[in-house]
Amino acid sequence: MRGLSLKLYHGRFRLDIGRNFFTGIIRYWNGPPEEVVESPSLEMFKKRLECSSQCRGRADNMVDSLVTDKAPLSKSLLLVPSAISILLTLLFQHYQKFFAYNLQAVKEDFQIWRLVCGRTICLDLKDTFCSSLLIYNFRIFERRYGSRKFSSFLLGAWMLSALFDLLLVEITQYIFGITINSLPSGFLGPVFALFVPFYSSIPRVQVTQVLGHFSITNKSLVYILGLQLLTSGSYIWILALSGLISGICYNSSILKVHRILCVPRWVAKIFSWTLEPVFSSAEPTNEVRVGMGATVDIQRQQRMELLDRQIMMSQVAQMRRQDSSRVG
């Protein structure tokens, strides 16, 4: 049988066997991974079972993101701004001035359109590349929460970060006497804001260990990309700080911001009709082997077991290192 070596088999019975035997306990025994069932002691079994239950609760939220592969908004944000940025850099350099994030023109001449253009399209190809990779990794939130909630978060983070950009520029000028007339352009504020739910809601799974002390997890690459984007410009730290503050405000529901800055349902339906047929795609064929069930429920269960095993192996390896350090 597939699974752990001590798995119990539950067949089909025509008699009233349920009245005399606790057949319902079988699915609870077969649920935990093999590392839990084959624990060397009762205390270790309790610790590993508790750890497995906590990991299962966090893994429940990740299943929906693996079952489907439709993220039309993320794909549109990945392709359209990147294509425009490349065209502006290679062919239409004389139009770049319209996409510059000029704060002086916004404050003095009230050119509000510069906020829309300057905070959407990157003029630096390095920023375009890093932000595109980050949006590609953050598409898990659109799969988990849906396109409407994901777009509402981006809209709220975009508007809040624009406000915090102006405030931070004024504070910098008041404290340090530095006058900042322009900031790096691009969809950077909402990208940095997505690090807040990424840090708080995505579980950390250890992949490997470097030099015996430094752990490499499934989130390390995303943080490295964020650090690379943070160090790509002189004043990009203002965009990063305003994005993180706006992400915290929206994610923690301060002053009910998520209810005020949200996308209406009719707007979400219109974009769903227009964007989804263009940017949605089927699941890649090389990922079908992860779940080979005949139905969606079976595939969901198989993917759930795979996530449980990966998270549990990481937790068990961590406990073994802690035990070995205590013995040493």
Side-chain angles (χ1 to χ4, degrees):
M1 291 186 297
R2 294 180 298 176
L4 53 94
S5 57
L6 302 179
K7 178 180 287 188
L8 299 178
Y9 177 70
H10 186 192
R12 295 183 179 181
F13 305 99
R14 296 183 178 179
L15 303 178
D16 294 336
I17 192 172
R19 297 181 179 179
N20 302 319
F21 297 95
F22 297 98
T23 56
I25 200 66
I26 295 179
R27 63 187 182 92
Y28 294 104
W29 174 258
N30 295 338
E34 186 174 2
E35 293 79 16
V36 177
V37 178
E38 296 183 354
S39 300
S41 63
L42 179 60
E43 294 297 324
M44 184 64 69
F45 174 80
K46 292 180 179 179
K47 292 181 180 179
R48 292 182 179 180
L49 182 61
E50 182 180 1
C51 179
S52 176
S53 300
Q54 296 175 357
C55 294
R56 179 179 293 272
R58 292 182 297 177
D60 282 336
N61 297 326
M62 297 179 61
V63 175
D64 292 335
S65 65
L66 293 176
V67 174
T68 59
D69 191 45
K70 292 184 178 181
L73 181 59
S74 299
K75 294 176 182 178
S76 61
L77 291 175
L78 178 65
L79 297 176
V80 176
S82 300
I84 295 176
S85 178
I86 294 174
L87 291 175
L88 289 174
T89 304
L90 300 180
L91 300 177
F92 306 103
Q93 294 88 350
H94 53 284
Y95 289 112
Q96 288 185 355
K97 60 182 180 180
F98 297 107
F99 295 91
Y101 190 9
N102 194 337
L103 294 176
Q104 185 177 4
V106 174
K107 292 185 294 184
E108 296 180 359
D109 301 332
F110 297 100
Q111 297 180 0
I112 307 300
W113 60 271
R114 288 191 177 273
L115 285 176
V116 180
C117 297
R119 305 189 77 252
T120 306
I121 306 299
C122 290
L123 296 180
D124 191 345
L125 289 182
K126 298 191 300 295
D127 296 345
T128 302
F129 179 73
C130 292
S131 60
S132 299
L133 289 179
L134 289 173
I135 291 175
Y136 177 78
N137 284 277
F138 290 148
R139 74 194 188 280
I140 184 175
F141 295 112
E142 185 178 5
R143 296 175 177 178
R144 176 185 296 186
Y145 302 119
S147 298
R148 180 170 179 261
K149 290 185 178 180
F150 183 67
S151 60
S152 297
F153 179 88
L154 294 179
L155 176 62
W158 189 91
M159 298 182 69
L160 289 175
S161 59
L163 176 61
F164 288 126
D165 285 347
L166 299 175
L167 291 177
L168 290 175
V169 167
E170 294 296 331
I171 292 174
T172 303
Q173 184 177 2
Y174 178 78
I175 296 177
F176 301 103
I178 301 175
T179 302
I180 302 175
N181 295 324
S182 62
L183 291 174
S185 60
F187 198 70
L188 303 179
V191 170
F192 282 109
L194 286 169
F195 275 98
V196 176
F198 181 77
Y199 174 80
S200 59
S201 62
I202 302 299
R204 184 173 62 92
V205 180
Q206 181 176 346
V207 178
T208 185
Q209 209 169 19
V210 179
L211 301 178
H213 299 283
F214 302 99
S215 299
I216 303 298
T217 67
N218 58 329
K219 303 168 69 173
S220 299
L221 177 61
V222 179
Y223 290 135
I224 292 174
L225 287 174
L227 183 62
Q228 174 64 32
L229 185 60
L230 178 62
T231 56
S232 63
S234 56
Y235 295 120
I236 202 170
W237 64 270
I238 296 179
L239 301 175
L241 185 58
S242 63
L244 292 176
I245 295 175
S246 62
I248 293 173
C249 293
Y250 199 95
N251 197 50
S252 58
S253 303
I254 297 177
L255 300 176
K256 305 298 181 180
V257 178
H258 65 286
R259 295 185 179 180
I260 301 174
L261 302 177
C262 63
V263 177
R265 292 185 179 273
W266 62 272
V267 176
K269 290 182 179 180
I270 291 176
F271 279 97
S272 177
W273 294 335
T274 55
L275 292 180
E276 189 168 347
V278 178
F279 293 102
S280 63
S281 60
E283 187 175 359
T285 55
N286 57 354
E287 294 182 3
V288 177
R289 290 175 294 179
V290 178
M292 291 294 292
T295 63
V296 176
D297 293 335
I298 297 177
Q299 293 178 8
R300 183 187 294 269
Q301 182 63 28
Q302 290 175 342
R303 293 173 185 270
M304 186 69 191
E305 293 176 357
L306 178 62
L307 284 173
D308 280 344
R309 182 169 294 275
Q310 291 176 350
I311 296 175
M312 193 59 201
M313 288 295 293
S314 175
Q315 297 291 341
V316 170
Q318 185 176 359
M319 288 190 293
R320 288 178 180 175
R321 287 194 301 271
Q322 292 178 356
D323 295 338
S324 61
S325 62
R326 292 175 183 174
V327 173

